[in-house]
Amino acid sequence: DLGGRLFSDTRLSSTGRVACSTCHQADRGFQDGIALARGVGTAARRTMPIAGVARSPFLFWDGRKDSLWAQALGPLENPVEHGGTRAQYAHIVADSYAREYQQIFGALPDLTGVPRSAGPVEDRDAASAWQSLSPAQRDDVTRVFVNIGKAIAAYERRIEFGPSRFDRYVAALTGGQPVDGVLTDDEIAGLRLFIGKANCTQCHNGPLLTSNEFHNTGVPPRPGLPLDRGRLAGATAVLNDEFNCRSRWSDARERCAELEFIVTGDHVLDRAYKVPSLRTVAERAPYMSAGQF
């Protein structure tokens, strides 16, 4: 419940007009239907839908985060998404969510002397204010920030896909029931290609119709955007992430197999992006990492 309220709170941004739900809109499958995400500025990639992400080992198109709670923190400090600072968010929690926070995470730290805007971000004033804090104050603020991410992740883990005509077709087929009229003839022909000679299931497999892997399928870059290395950069970023599975903020430091066996530096990762789920895909145009199609 706390995570759901934080997910929709526009105060968690530099402008007071952007929330997680601004881009992840419930009535659009928790995405926004535009090519490039728009927060306080315009991002260089497409908003990813978040239904079913509880089962994803890496998050974002490049997999630069390895948990849902760490993923939730990225946009909050990104200058073109939420554009705020972790001290700002800690103060908002203390001002508006103290009771709920303390029921879950324990006592809030004393934020006396902590500026309303401070954090390890690109904004020079906020970064300077962050450096002026003592190590203990920075830890106190960061712990509240991390717990914001964990609350949002708890909410997002409950977002799932509903049953589809495809599920009804499979259930009828495997249960020996009539399948007439569940899918059209064209859809059945497409399904035969999908699981047959088109080999789509090499990447789009399993209940979520994704392998959760990263591939360069030859999709052209979107003109006018900075060079985007995809997984090649993302794999290095997650290993160096302040909030990765092995960090002191993680609750799972002894169970980080994905990091143990991560591949980095391989040229095949250049411009490789996460395979998205195909569930509800008809409702999620435009497609690919930057809405190219």
Side-chain angles (χ1 to χ4, degrees):
D1 182 67
L2 174 60
R5 291 172 64 192
L6 291 167
F7 186 86
S8 299
D9 193 334
T10 58
R11 293 175 298 172
L12 298 184
S13 67
S14 60
T15 61
R17 295 194 295 269
V18 175
C20 303
S21 58
T22 301
C23 292
H24 299 286
Q25 300 166 22
D27 60 348
R28 289 175 174 263
F30 288 90
Q31 51 91 53
D32 53 14
I34 58 178
L36 301 176
R38 288 191 204 122
V40 298
T42 300
R45 288 184 184 151
R46 174 86 164 85
T47 296
M48 293 198 84
I50 56 175
V53 289
R55 297 167 181 82
S56 180
F58 292 105
L59 287 305
F60 289 113
W61 284 102
D62 58 7
R64 65 185 182 274
K65 296 287 187 176
D66 64 350
S67 71
L68 201 49
W69 67 266
Q71 183 280 326
L73 301 179
L76 292 175
E77 291 188 308
N78 187 294
V80 298
E81 294 185 61
H82 291 245
T85 68
R86 58 186 71 174
Q88 170 194 347
Y89 304 139
H91 278 292
I92 290 170
V93 167
D95 293 344
S96 301
Y97 297 103
R99 181 181 61 82
E100 300 96 318
Y101 179 94
Q102 291 180 142
Q103 284 177 338
I104 301 164
F105 298 112
L108 276 160
D110 181 5
L111 298 178
T112 303
V114 175
R116 297 294 298 192
S117 181
V121 293
E122 292 183 15
D123 181 84
R124 194 171 298 175
D125 292 339
S128 177
W130 182 249
Q131 289 304 315
S132 71
L133 298 175
S134 70
Q137 286 175 309
R138 291 199 291 267
D139 271 7
D140 284 344
V141 169
T142 299
R143 187 169 299 283
V144 177
F145 182 57
V146 163
N147 288 337
I148 289 171
K150 291 180 180 180
I152 291 173
Y155 165 71
E156 290 182 332
R157 288 182 67 84
R158 299 179 67 87
I159 301 170
E160 298 282 1
F161 294 104
S164 67
R165 286 190 299 120
F166 173 74
D167 295 307
R168 293 200 300 274
Y169 180 84
V170 172
L173 195 66
T174 57
Q177 302 299 315
V179 296
D180 296 344
V182 180
L183 297 182
T184 68
D185 289 345
D186 277 349
E187 288 167 344
I188 293 171
L191 175 58
R192 290 184 184 281
L193 282 171
F194 188 90
I195 64 177
K197 105 179 147 177
N199 203 25
C200 303
T201 51
Q202 180 174 338
C203 298
H204 295 285
N205 53 52
L208 294 179
L209 296 175
T210 172
S211 62
N212 282 315
E213 295 173 346
F214 300 85
H215 296 285
N216 180 344
T217 56
V219 175
R222 190 178 185 90
L225 294 179
L227 179 64
D228 187 340
R229 292 296 191 187
R231 184 58 171 165
L232 188 65
T236 299
V238 72
L239 284 172
N240 296 323
D241 182 32
E242 178 185 6
F243 302 119
N244 72 20
C245 182
R246 287 186 246 182
S247 75
R248 61 194 177 106
W249 306 109
S250 171
D251 301 308
R253 282 179 302 220
E254 312 244 326
R255 302 186 300 277
C256 301
E258 297 289 348
L259 282 187
E260 295 296 329
F261 297 100
I262 194 171
V263 175
T264 62
D266 191 325
H267 73 280
V268 301
L269 302 177
D270 196 12
R271 290 194 49 74
Y273 299 96
K274 186 177 178 179
V275 177
S277 171
L278 293 186
R279 288 200 169 269
T280 70
V281 67
E283 302 165 15
R284 289 194 274 108
Y287 303 105
M288 306 304 173
S289 60
Q292 289 98 323
F293 301 136

